[in-house]
Amino acid sequence: MIIGFWLSLLLACPAPVLKPDDSSADDTGGDDSGGDDSGGGDSSADDSGGEGCDGSDLIYSAHGLDGGDNEITDTFVAGTMVKGLGRVTNPCDIDLSFTTNDSCLVKVWRVLQEGAVKAELGQSCDDAITEWTVPANGVVEEITLLSDRHTFTAGTWTLEAELNIGNNKPQAEITAVAE
């Protein structure tokens, strides 16, 4: 009975799933159930086209933004507004979709300094299973205000976005300078 309970719980909470969105793809290529592995799995092949693209082609990244939503590429003044941007990029010529167990793209933001976690900032998400579609050659992203719950003092900081997709935890490094 206990095993049945855990099994039903696991089935009720599916893990994030990556899948191609074939609503706009040309389906004349035949059976997609197993894929054609006759090419030897050469990962250097052109993945920018629709054929052969799937969820494994998605690119995950984290970025620090200033108060004007500009990416922090150099330094910023300590104590000013900092936002985290979690992004999923689709380099393919077809739409790709994935599902998360709630409405957030980023599950939690971690702020690290010299490898130590200084803050862990969870998201407030709806519990609804959410289908995300990353357009062909496009992105989906989520911005979260971080400086309302953590003060960035002078120094180098690492922002880690734990995405709700698999085990992806991209990082961005930002540097605060004193006024």
Side-chain angles (χ1 to χ4, degrees):
M1 177 156 157
I2 292 175
I3 293 173
F5 168 76
W6 287 109
L7 183 57
S8 67
L9 185 61
L10 286 173
L11 293 175
C13 299
V17 176
L18 299 173
K19 62 180 183 179
D21 178 3
D22 16 338
S23 62
S24 63
D26 178 9
D27 200 15
T28 60
D31 182 5
D32 288 356
S33 62
D36 180 12
D37 292 334
S38 61
D42 182 6
S43 62
S44 65
D46 181 13
D47 284 337
S48 64
E51 196 169 318
C53 278
D54 61 24
S56 67
D57 293 300
L58 294 172
I59 300 165
Y60 309 98
S61 59
H63 307 270
L65 304 178
D66 63 17
D69 289 345
N70 301 303
E71 187 168 356
I72 299 171
T73 56
D74 195 14
T75 60
F76 66 100
V77 176
T80 61
M81 183 180 293
V82 174
K83 299 176 184 179
L85 170 77
R87 177 181 290 154
V88 180
T89 303
N90 178 0
C92 300
D93 290 335
I94 61 170
D95 293 352
L96 296 176
S97 296
F98 60 91
T99 304
T100 58
N101 290 330
D102 59 39
S103 63
C104 289
L105 182 61
V106 178
K107 186 184 319 186
V108 65
W109 280 96
R110 288 185 189 83
V111 178
L112 301 97
Q113 194 170 44
E114 297 178 8
V117 176
K118 299 297 183 178
E120 192 166 278
L121 312 168
Q123 300 281 75
S124 182
C125 310
D126 292 334
D127 286 336
I129 293 175
T130 304
E131 177 90 12
W132 299 78
T133 299
V134 189
N137 299 302
V139 300
V140 294
E141 51 193 27
E142 182 176 85
I143 297 175
T144 304
L145 180 61
L146 303 177
S147 58
D148 66 334
R149 297 179 282 166
H150 176 77
T151 301
F152 290 88
T153 57
T156 300
W157 297 90
T158 301
L159 306 178
E160 180 181 88
E162 183 177 335
L163 298 172
N164 262 337
I165 310 160
N167 197 20
N168 295 294
K169 298 177 184 176
Q171 296 183 337
E173 191 170 283
I174 59 175
T175 302
V177 294
E179 285 187 70

